[in-house]
Structure formats: C-alpha cells, structure tokens
Amino acid sequence: MRALVSLIGAALVMITLRDLFHTLWHPTRHGGLSRLVMTALWRTARRLRTPGRVVGLVGPLAMVTVVGMWAFTVVLGWAVVYWPHMPGSFTFSPGSEAAREPALLDSVYLSLVTVATLGLGDIAPAESWLRLVSPLEALVGFVLLTATVSWVLEIYPALTRRRVLAVRLALLRDADPPTRQLDCTAGAMLLESLATEVARVRIDFTQYAEAYYFHDGEDHSSLAATVGYATVLAQRGRAARRLEVRLAGSLLAGALTDLAAVLDQRFLHTGGPSTAVFAAYAADHGRDGASPSAGVSSR
C-alpha cells in the first residue's frame, strides 16, 4: 500500500513534467493542462465582457496561474511520495518538533523545502532510495525556476514582433496605397517584407501559443484589428502589372493563408476561409467592427 501511494505521487509529478515539457520545449508546443487553464481564463474574460484593461491582464495572469499550478502539483506529488514513509524512513535534527507534527504536514514541508532548494536539514531521508529521490526533487525545482524565467523571456519578443507588424499595417492602412503605387520595385519589396513578418508571426503562434491570450490594446497595435488590411494589400499586389509585384502579392497571400490556418486550427475552429478566420480573430479580441476593408476605399 505504501508503494502504491508513492507511485501515485510519482505519477502526479510525471504528469506535471510532461505538461511543462510540451508547453515550453516540444516543437509543436501543445501543452495539455496549461492550455486548458489559459483557454478557460480567456473565455471567461470574454464572456464577462470585461474592460480592455482587465482583458489585457489575462495573458500575464494565465502564465502566473500555470506556473503556480506546476509548482503546486510538483510539491504535492513529492509530498505524496514521502507521506507513507514518514516519519520512520526519515531522521530529524535533535530538538526538532517536526517529528511530533502530522505525517502529511511534515511531508508537505519537506517537499516545499526541497523543491525550493533551501536544504534546511531538519528532516533528512534515511533510506537509500529516498536519499536518491530527494535531490531529484531539488533538480526539478531548479528546472521549474529556470523554465519560468526562460518562458517570460521568450514570450515578450514574440509579442513585440506581432505588435510591430500591427503598427506597420495600421500605418499602411492610413496611407492606403492604390495598386498603381504598389506597381513598382519598392511596392514588391514592401509586400515581400510584409510576407516575411506575417510568416514570423505565424511561427510565433505555433511555438508560443500562449501569445494568443495576450490582448494588444489599442487598434493601431492590435494585429486582430489590422491583419485584414494585409489581405487587401495582397489582392492589390496580385492585380499589378509588374511580375515581381504580382509574385510578392502571391507570397503575402500565401503567408496570410498559413497564418489563418494556424489561428483556426489552434484557437478559433471556424472551418471557414481566411477572411472568416480573421473576422473571428478580430471578434475574439474585441474588434467586432474590424474587417479587411475597414476604412479602405476600393482602388
């Protein structure tokens, strides 16, 4: 029975480590529990129709919640591993009151101290296998800390790339260049550079799916509000006379199709064309009035 309880604790730790690996390091970044937590917080905020400032906290709050969930389950899992063997398989420092506490409380305390790598030493494992397991928990605690820091450092550059593209599209939407202005070498370079930036954002949504749950705030920095205009530019580029401009327009259209496919597959599930996906993306981020041709005249 004691071995079975310890195995349950070990299984809880392994489930947590698997979720951490799939969220941060797996190529497809398909976290299970972490994705459910983030999706639930986002949908709750959208259903409650919270103000923009509150929605803007969903992304950071979701990351904090996921990290807290990982830490809690790791501590709990190792406490369950220790629990059946407490206090007989552990030694206590002279004069310590820990041996008089309930076994579960001592197990949670030891797990917290170990995962935080404090090493107070008032409770120490006596059996050989426990002496091997305890340092592993300290190693997992160190991995959890470094993984959290690297996660934060990775997500914000991805958000910056997305917002830069949004601002650039907003500026182009204000200028609203017609097909004749795009029908030149500079126009081809512009469309090609936009295609590259769209492809980068598409990869960011693949590798950092949690970036979707960060609200971009103002319209001019919101990709949800401006990505539709990129389809307008792609159409104008494909209607140009110069071959290089038509090629650049096709590249931009293809990049937008890939981006829409990722958004639809991972987040929106509309099953519709790119225009429908971008409209759903705008609505999900509070940009219900945004459309590909919002504020754009036909040229």
Side-chain angles (χ1 to χ4, degrees), residues 58-132:
V58 172
L61 180 61
M63 292 183 68
V64 171
T65 303
V66 169
V67 172
M69 177 190 69
W70 288 337
F72 174 78
T73 51
V74 165
V75 170
L76 179 62
W78 244 283
V80 172
V81 171
Y82 299 144
W83 183 27
H85 310 279
M86 185 73 70
S89 299
F90 294 84
T91 59
F92 299 82
S93 61
S96 174
E97 298 291 331
R100 302 178 184 178
E101 301 291 341
L104 180 58
L105 180 61
D106 281 342
S107 299
V108 173
Y109 166 76
L110 176 61
S111 183
L112 278 170
V113 170
T114 305
V115 81
T117 66
L118 293 177
L120 298 180
D122 51 344
I123 304 178
E127 291 189 11
S128 56
W129 74 273
L130 286 172
R131 296 175 67 183
L132 292 176

Coordinates of all heavy atoms in Angstrom, one line a residue, residues 58-132:
V58 N -5.2 39.1 -18.8 CA -5.5 37.7 -18.9 C -4.2 36.9 -19.2 O -3.9 35.9 -18.6 CB -6.6 37.5 -19.9 CG1 -6.7 36.0 -20.2 CG2 -7.9 38.0 -19.4
G59 N -3.4 37.4 -20.2 CA -2.2 36.7 -20.6 C -1.2 36.5 -19.5 O -0.8 35.4 -19.1
P60 N -0.8 37.6 -18.9 CA 0.2 37.5 -17.7 C -0.4 36.7 -16.6 O 0.3 35.9 -16.0 CB 0.4 39.0 -17.3 CG 0.1 39.8 -18.5 CD -1.0 39.1 -19.2
L61 N -1.7 36.9 -16.3 CA -2.3 36.2 -15.2 C -2.4 34.7 -15.5 O -2.2 33.8 -14.6 CB -3.8 36.7 -14.9 CG -4.6 36.0 -13.8 CD1 -3.8 36.1 -12.5 CD2 -6.0 36.6 -13.7
A62 N -2.6 34.3 -16.8 CA -2.7 32.9 -17.2 C -1.3 32.3 -17.0 O -1.2 31.1 -16.5 CB -3.1 32.8 -18.6
M63 N -0.2 33.0 -17.4 CA 1.1 32.4 -17.2 C 1.4 32.2 -15.7 O 2.0 31.2 -15.3 CB 2.1 33.4 -17.8 CG 2.1 33.4 -19.3 SD 3.4 34.5 -20.1 CE 4.8 33.5 -19.7
V64 N 1.1 33.2 -14.9 CA 1.3 33.1 -13.4 C 0.5 31.9 -12.9 O 1.0 31.1 -12.1 CB 0.9 34.4 -12.7 CG1 0.9 34.1 -11.2 CG2 1.9 35.5 -13.1
T65 N -0.7 31.7 -13.3 CA -1.6 30.6 -12.9 C -1.0 29.3 -13.3 O -1.0 28.3 -12.5 CB -3.0 30.8 -13.5 OG1 -3.5 32.0 -13.1 CG2 -3.9 29.7 -13.0
V66 N -0.5 29.2 -14.5 CA 0.1 27.9 -15.0 C 1.3 27.6 -14.2 O 1.5 26.4 -13.8 CB 0.4 28.0 -16.5 CG1 1.2 26.8 -16.9 CG2 -0.9 28.1 -17.3
V67 N 2.2 28.6 -14.0 CA 3.4 28.3 -13.2 C 3.1 27.9 -11.8 O 3.6 27.0 -11.2 CB 4.3 29.5 -13.2 CG1 5.5 29.4 -12.2 CG2 4.9 29.8 -14.6
G68 N 2.1 28.6 -11.2 CA 1.6 28.2 -9.8 C 1.1 26.8 -9.8 O 1.3 26.0 -8.8
M69 N 0.3 26.4 -10.9 CA -0.2 25.0 -10.9 C 0.9 24.0 -11.0 O 0.9 23.0 -10.3 CB -1.1 24.9 -12.2 CG -1.7 23.5 -12.4 SD -2.5 23.4 -14.0 CE -1.0 23.5 -15.1
W70 N 1.9 24.3 -11.8 CA 3.1 23.4 -11.9 C 3.8 23.2 -10.6 O 4.1 22.1 -10.1 CB 4.1 23.9 -12.9 CG 3.7 23.8 -14.4 CD1 2.7 22.9 -14.9 CD2 4.1 24.5 -15.5 NE1 2.6 23.1 -16.2 CE2 3.4 24.1 -16.6 CE3 5.1 25.6 -15.6 CZ2 3.7 24.6 -17.9 CZ3 5.3 26.1 -16.9 CH2 4.6 25.6 -18.0
A71 N 4.0 24.4 -9.9 CA 4.7 24.3 -8.6 C 3.9 23.5 -7.6 O 4.4 22.7 -6.8 CB 5.0 25.7 -8.1
F72 N 2.6 23.8 -7.5 CA 1.7 23.1 -6.6 C 1.7 21.6 -6.8 O 1.8 20.9 -5.8 CB 0.3 23.7 -6.7 CG -0.7 23.0 -5.8 CD1 -0.8 23.3 -4.5 CD2 -1.6 22.1 -6.4 CE1 -1.7 22.6 -3.7 CE2 -2.5 21.4 -5.6 CZ -2.6 21.7 -4.3
T73 N 1.5 21.2 -8.1 CA 1.4 19.8 -8.3 C 2.8 19.1 -8.1 O 2.8 17.9 -7.6 CB 1.0 19.5 -9.8 OG1 1.8 20.3 -10.7 CG2 -0.5 19.9 -9.9
V74 N 3.9 19.7 -8.4 CA 5.2 19.1 -8.1 C 5.4 19.0 -6.6 O 5.8 17.9 -6.1 CB 6.3 20.0 -8.7 CG1 7.7 19.6 -8.1 CG2 6.4 19.8 -10.2
V75 N 5.1 20.0 -5.8 CA 5.2 19.9 -4.3 C 4.3 18.8 -3.8 O 4.6 18.0 -3.0 CB 4.9 21.3 -3.7 CG1 4.8 21.1 -2.2 CG2 6.0 22.3 -4.0
L76 N 3.0 18.8 -4.3 CA 2.0 17.9 -3.8 C 2.4 16.4 -4.2 O 2.3 15.5 -3.4 CB 0.7 18.2 -4.4 CG -0.5 17.2 -4.0 CD1 -0.7 17.3 -2.4 CD2 -1.8 17.6 -4.7
G77 N 2.9 16.3 -5.4 CA 3.3 14.9 -5.9 C 4.4 14.3 -5.0 O 4.4 13.2 -4.6
W78 N 5.5 15.1 -4.8 CA 6.6 14.6 -3.9 C 6.2 14.4 -2.5 O 6.6 13.5 -1.8 CB 7.8 15.5 -4.1 CG 8.9 14.8 -4.7 CD1 9.8 13.9 -4.2 CD2 9.4 15.0 -6.1 NE1 10.7 13.5 -5.1 CE2 10.5 14.1 -6.2 CE3 8.9 15.8 -7.1 CZ2 11.2 14.0 -7.4 CZ3 9.6 15.6 -8.3 CH2 10.7 14.8 -8.5
A79 N 5.2 15.3 -2.0 CA 4.7 15.1 -0.6 C 4.0 13.7 -0.5 O 4.2 13.0 0.5 CB 3.8 16.2 -0.3
V80 N 3.3 13.4 -1.6 CA 2.6 12.1 -1.6 C 3.6 10.9 -1.6 O 3.4 9.9 -1.0 CB 1.6 12.0 -2.7 CG1 1.0 10.6 -2.9 CG2 0.5 13.0 -2.5
V81 N 4.7 11.1 -2.3 CA 5.8 10.1 -2.3 C 6.3 9.9 -0.9 O 6.6 8.8 -0.5 CB 6.9 10.5 -3.3 CG1 8.1 9.6 -3.2 CG2 6.4 10.5 -4.8
Y82 N 6.6 11.0 -0.2 CA 7.2 10.9 1.1 C 6.2 10.4 2.2 O 6.6 9.8 3.2 CB 7.7 12.3 1.6 CG 8.8 12.9 0.7 CD1 8.8 14.2 0.4 CD2 9.7 12.1 0.1 CE1 9.8 14.8 -0.4 CE2 10.7 12.6 -0.7 CZ 10.8 14.0 -1.0 OH 11.7 14.5 -1.7
W83 N 4.9 10.8 2.0 CA 3.9 10.6 3.1 C 3.9 9.2 3.7 O 3.9 9.1 4.9 CB 2.6 11.0 2.5 CG 1.4 11.0 3.5 CD1 1.5 11.1 4.9 CD2 0.1 10.8 3.2 NE1 0.3 11.0 5.4 CE2 -0.6 10.8 4.4 CE3 -0.6 10.6 2.0 CZ2 -2.0 10.7 4.5 CZ3 -2.0 10.5 2.1 CH2 -2.7 10.5 3.3
P84 N 3.8 8.1 2.9 CA 3.7 6.8 3.5 C 4.9 6.4 4.3 O 4.8 5.4 5.1 CB 3.5 5.8 2.3 CG 3.1 6.7 1.2 CD 3.8 8.0 1.4
H85 N 6.0 7.0 4.1 CA 7.3 6.6 4.7 C 7.7 7.6 5.9 O 8.8 7.5 6.4 CB 8.4 6.6 3.7 CG 8.0 5.8 2.5 ND1 8.1 4.4 2.4 CD2 7.5 6.2 1.3 CE1 7.7 4.0 1.2 NE2 7.3 5.1 0.5
M86 N 6.8 8.5 6.2 CA 7.0 9.5 7.2 C 6.4 9.0 8.5 O 5.2 8.6 8.5 CB 6.5 10.9 6.8 CG 6.8 12.0 7.7 SD 8.5 12.6 7.7 CE 8.6 13.3 6.1
P87 N 7.1 9.0 9.7 CA 8.4 9.5 9.9 C 9.5 8.4 10.0 O 10.7 8.7 10.1 CB 8.3 10.2 11.3 CG 7.3 9.3 12.0 CD 6.3 8.8 10.9
G88 N 9.1 7.2 9.8 CA 10.0 6.1 10.1 C 11.2 6.0 9.2 O 12.3 5.6 9.6
S89 N 11.1 6.5 7.9 CA 12.2 6.4 7.0 C 13.0 7.7 6.9 O 13.8 7.9 6.0 CB 11.7 6.1 5.6 OG 11.0 4.8 5.6
F90 N 12.8 8.6 7.9 CA 13.5 9.9 7.9 C 14.1 10.1 9.3 O 13.7 9.6 10.3 CB 12.5 11.1 7.6 CG 11.9 11.0 6.2 CD1 10.8 10.2 5.9 CD2 12.5 11.8 5.2 CE1 10.3 10.2 4.6 CE2 12.0 11.7 3.9 CZ 10.9 10.9 3.6
T91 N 15.1 10.9 9.3 CA 15.8 11.3 10.5 C 15.5 12.8 10.8 O 15.4 13.6 9.8 CB 17.3 11.1 10.5 OG1 17.8 11.9 9.4 CG2 17.6 9.6 10.2
F92 N 15.4 13.2 12.0 CA 15.1 14.5 12.4 C 16.2 15.1 13.3 O 16.8 14.4 14.1 CB 13.8 14.5 13.2 CG 12.6 14.0 12.4 CD1 12.3 12.7 12.3 CD2 11.7 14.9 11.8 CE1 11.2 12.2 11.6 CE2 10.6 14.5 11.1 CZ 10.4 13.1 11.0
S93 N 16.5 16.4 13.1 CA 17.5 17.0 13.9 C 17.2 17.0 15.3 O 16.0 17.1 15.7 CB 17.8 18.4 13.4 OG 16.6 19.2 13.5
P94 N 18.2 17.0 16.3 CA 17.9 17.0 17.7 C 17.1 18.2 18.1 O 17.4 19.3 17.7 CB 19.3 16.9 18.3 CG 20.2 16.3 17.3 CD 19.6 16.8 16.0
G95 N 16.1 18.0 19.0 CA 15.3 19.1 19.4 C 14.3 19.6 18.5 O 13.5 20.5 18.8
S96 N 14.2 19.0 17.3 CA 13.2 19.4 16.3 C 11.8 18.9 16.7 O 11.6 17.8 17.3 CB 13.5 18.8 14.9 OG 12.5 19.1 14.0
E97 N 10.8 19.8 16.5 CA 9.4 19.5 16.8 C 8.7 18.8 15.6 O 7.5 18.5 15.7 CB 8.7 20.8 17.2 CG 9.2 21.5 18.4 CD 8.9 20.7 19.7 OE1 7.9 19.9 19.7 OE2 9.7 20.8 20.6
A98 N 9.5 18.7 14.5 CA 8.8 18.2 13.3 C 8.3 16.8 13.5 O 7.2 16.4 12.9 CB 9.8 18.2 12.2
A99 N 9.0 15.9 14.3 CA 8.5 14.5 14.4 C 7.2 14.5 15.1 O 6.5 13.4 15.0 CB 9.6 13.8 15.2
R100 N 6.8 15.5 15.8 CA 5.5 15.5 16.6 C 4.3 16.0 15.7 O 3.2 15.9 16.1 CB 5.6 16.4 17.8 CG 6.7 15.9 18.8 CD 6.8 16.8 20.0 NE 7.9 16.5 20.8 CZ 8.3 17.1 21.9 NH1 7.6 18.2 22.3 NH2 9.3 16.7 22.7
E101 N 4.7 16.5 14.5 CA 3.6 17.0 13.6 C 3.0 15.9 12.8 O 3.6 14.8 12.7 CB 4.2 18.0 12.6 CG 4.9 19.2 13.3 CD 3.8 20.1 14.0 OE1 2.6 20.0 13.6 OE2 4.2 20.9 14.9
P102 N 1.8 16.1 12.3 CA 1.2 15.0 11.4 C 2.1 14.7 10.2 O 2.9 15.5 9.7 CB -0.1 15.7 10.9 CG -0.4 16.7 11.9 CD 0.9 17.2 12.4
A103 N 2.1 13.4 9.8 CA 3.0 12.9 8.8 C 2.8 13.7 7.5 O 3.7 14.0 6.8 CB 2.8 11.4 8.6
L104 N 1.5 14.0 7.1 CA 1.3 14.7 5.9 C 1.8 16.1 5.9 O 2.4 16.6 4.9 CB -0.2 14.8 5.6 CG -0.7 15.5 4.3 CD1 -0.1 14.8 3.1 CD2 -2.2 15.5 4.2
L105 N 1.7 16.8 7.1 CA 2.3 18.1 7.2 C 3.8 18.1 7.0 O 4.4 19.0 6.3 CB 1.9 18.7 8.5 CG 2.4 20.2 8.8 CD1 1.9 21.1 7.8 CD2 2.0 20.6 10.2
D106 N 4.5 17.1 7.7 CA 5.9 17.0 7.5 C 6.3 16.7 6.1 O 7.3 17.2 5.6 CB 6.4 15.9 8.4 CG 6.6 16.3 9.9 OD1 6.6 17.6 10.1 OD2 6.6 15.5 10.8
S107 N 5.5 15.9 5.4 CA 5.8 15.6 4.0 C 5.7 16.8 3.1 O 6.6 17.0 2.2 CB 4.8 14.5 3.5 OG 5.0 13.3 4.3
V108 N 4.6 17.6 3.3 CA 4.5 18.8 2.5 C 5.6 19.8 2.8 O 6.2 20.4 1.9 CB 3.1 19.5 2.8 CG1 3.0 20.8 2.1 CG2 2.0 18.5 2.3
Y109 N 6.0 19.9 4.1 CA 7.1 20.8 4.5 C 8.4 20.4 3.8 O 9.1 21.2 3.3 CB 7.2 20.8 6.0 CG 8.5 21.4 6.5 CD1 8.7 22.8 6.5 CD2 9.5 20.6 7.0 CE1 9.9 23.4 6.9 CE2 10.7 21.2 7.4 CZ 10.9 22.5 7.4 OH 12.1 23.1 7.9
L110 N 8.7 19.1 3.9 CA 9.9 18.6 3.3 C 9.9 18.8 1.8 O 11.0 19.2 1.2 CB 10.1 17.1 3.6 CG 11.3 16.4 3.0 CD1 12.6 17.1 3.5 CD2 11.3 14.9 3.3
S111 N 8.8 18.6 1.2 CA 8.7 18.8 -0.3 C 8.9 20.3 -0.7 O 9.6 20.6 -1.6 CB 7.3 18.3 -0.8 OG 7.2 18.4 -2.2
L112 N 8.3 21.2 0.1 CA 8.5 22.6 -0.2 C 9.9 23.0 0.0 O 10.5 23.8 -0.8 CB 7.6 23.4 0.8 CG 6.1 23.6 0.4 CD1 5.4 24.2 1.5 CD2 6.0 24.5 -0.9
V113 N 10.6 22.6 1.1 CA 12.0 23.0 1.4 C 12.9 22.4 0.3 O 13.8 23.1 -0.2 CB 12.4 22.4 2.8 CG1 13.9 22.6 2.9 CG2 11.6 23.2 3.8
T114 N 12.6 21.2 -0.2 CA 13.5 20.5 -1.2 C 13.3 21.2 -2.5 O 14.3 21.5 -3.2 CB 13.2 19.0 -1.2 OG1 13.3 18.5 0.1 CG2 14.1 18.4 -2.2
V115 N 12.0 21.4 -3.0 CA 11.8 22.0 -4.3 C 12.3 23.4 -4.4 O 12.7 23.9 -5.5 CB 10.3 21.9 -4.7 CG1 9.5 23.0 -4.1 CG2 10.1 21.9 -6.2
A116 N 12.4 24.1 -3.3 CA 12.9 25.5 -3.2 C 14.4 25.4 -3.1 O 15.0 26.5 -3.0 CB 12.3 26.3 -2.1
T117 N 15.0 24.3 -3.0 CA 16.5 24.1 -2.8 C 17.0 24.8 -1.6 O 18.2 25.3 -1.6 CB 17.2 24.5 -4.1 OG1 17.1 25.9 -4.3 CG2 16.8 23.8 -5.3
L118 N 16.2 24.9 -0.5 CA 16.7 25.5 0.7 C 17.7 24.6 1.5 O 18.7 25.1 2.0 CB 15.5 25.9 1.6 CG 14.6 27.0 1.0 CD1 13.4 27.3 1.9 CD2 15.4 28.3 0.8
G119 N 17.3 23.3 1.6 CA 18.2 22.4 2.3 C 18.4 22.7 3.7 O 19.5 22.8 4.2
L120 N 17.3 22.9 4.5 CA 17.4 23.3 5.9 C 18.0 22.1 6.7 O 18.7 22.4 7.7 CB 16.0 23.7 6.5 CG 15.4 24.9 5.8 CD1 14.1 25.2 6.4 CD2 16.4 26.1 5.9
G121 N 17.7 20.9 6.4 CA 18.4 19.8 7.0 C 17.7 19.3 8.3 O 18.2 18.3 8.9
D122 N 16.6 19.9 8.7 CA 15.9 19.4 10.0 C 15.2 18.1 9.8 O 15.0 17.4 10.7 CB 15.0 20.5 10.5 CG 14.0 21.0 9.5 OD1 14.3 20.7 8.3 OD2 13.0 21.6 9.9
I123 N 14.8 17.8 8.5 CA 14.3 16.5 8.1 C 15.1 16.0 7.0 O 15.3 16.6 6.0 CB 12.8 16.6 7.7 CG1 12.0 17.2 8.8 CG2 12.3 15.2 7.4 CD1 10.5 17.3 8.5
A124 N 15.7 14.8 7.1 CA 16.5 14.2 6.1 C 16.1 12.7 5.8 O 15.8 12.0 6.8 CB 18.0 14.3 6.5
P125 N 16.1 12.3 4.6 CA 15.8 10.9 4.3 C 16.8 9.9 4.9 O 18.0 10.2 4.8 CB 15.7 10.8 2.8 CG 16.6 12.0 2.3 CD 16.4 13.0 3.4
A126 N 16.4 8.8 5.4 CA 17.3 7.8 5.9 C 17.5 6.6 5.0 O 18.6 6.0 4.9 CB 16.8 7.3 7.3
E127 N 16.4 6.2 4.3 CA 16.5 5.1 3.4 C 17.3 5.5 2.1 O 17.2 6.6 1.7 CB 15.1 4.5 3.1 CG 14.4 3.9 4.3 CD 13.2 3.1 3.8 OE1 12.9 3.0 2.6 OE2 12.4 2.7 4.7
S128 N 17.9 4.5 1.5 CA 18.8 4.8 0.4 C 18.0 5.3 -0.8 O 18.4 6.3 -1.4 CB 19.6 3.5 0.0 OG 18.7 2.5 -0.3
W129 N 16.9 4.7 -1.1 CA 16.1 5.2 -2.3 C 15.6 6.6 -2.1 O 15.5 7.4 -3.0 CB 15.0 4.2 -2.6 CG 13.8 4.2 -1.7 CD1 13.7 3.5 -0.6 CD2 12.6 4.9 -1.9 NE1 12.5 3.7 0.0 CE2 11.8 4.6 -0.8 CE3 12.2 5.8 -2.9 CZ2 10.5 5.2 -0.7 CZ3 10.9 6.4 -2.7 CH2 10.1 6.1 -1.7
L130 N 15.2 6.9 -0.9 CA 14.7 8.3 -0.6 C 15.8 9.3 -0.7 O 15.6 10.4 -1.1 CB 14.1 8.3 0.8 CG 12.7 7.7 0.9 CD1 12.2 7.6 2.4 CD2 11.6 8.4 0.1
R131 N 17.0 8.9 -0.3 CA 18.2 9.8 -0.4 C 18.5 10.1 -1.9 O 19.2 11.1 -2.2 CB 19.4 9.2 0.3 CG 19.2 9.0 1.8 CD 20.3 8.3 2.4 NE 21.5 9.1 2.4 CZ 22.7 8.6 2.8 NH1 22.8 7.4 3.4 NH2 23.8 9.4 2.8
L132 N 18.1 9.2 -2.8 CA 18.3 9.4 -4.2 C 17.2 10.3 -4.8 O 17.4 11.1 -5.7 CB 18.4 8.1 -5.0 CG 19.6 7.2 -4.7 CD1 19.5 5.9 -5.4 CD2 20.9 8.0 -5.1

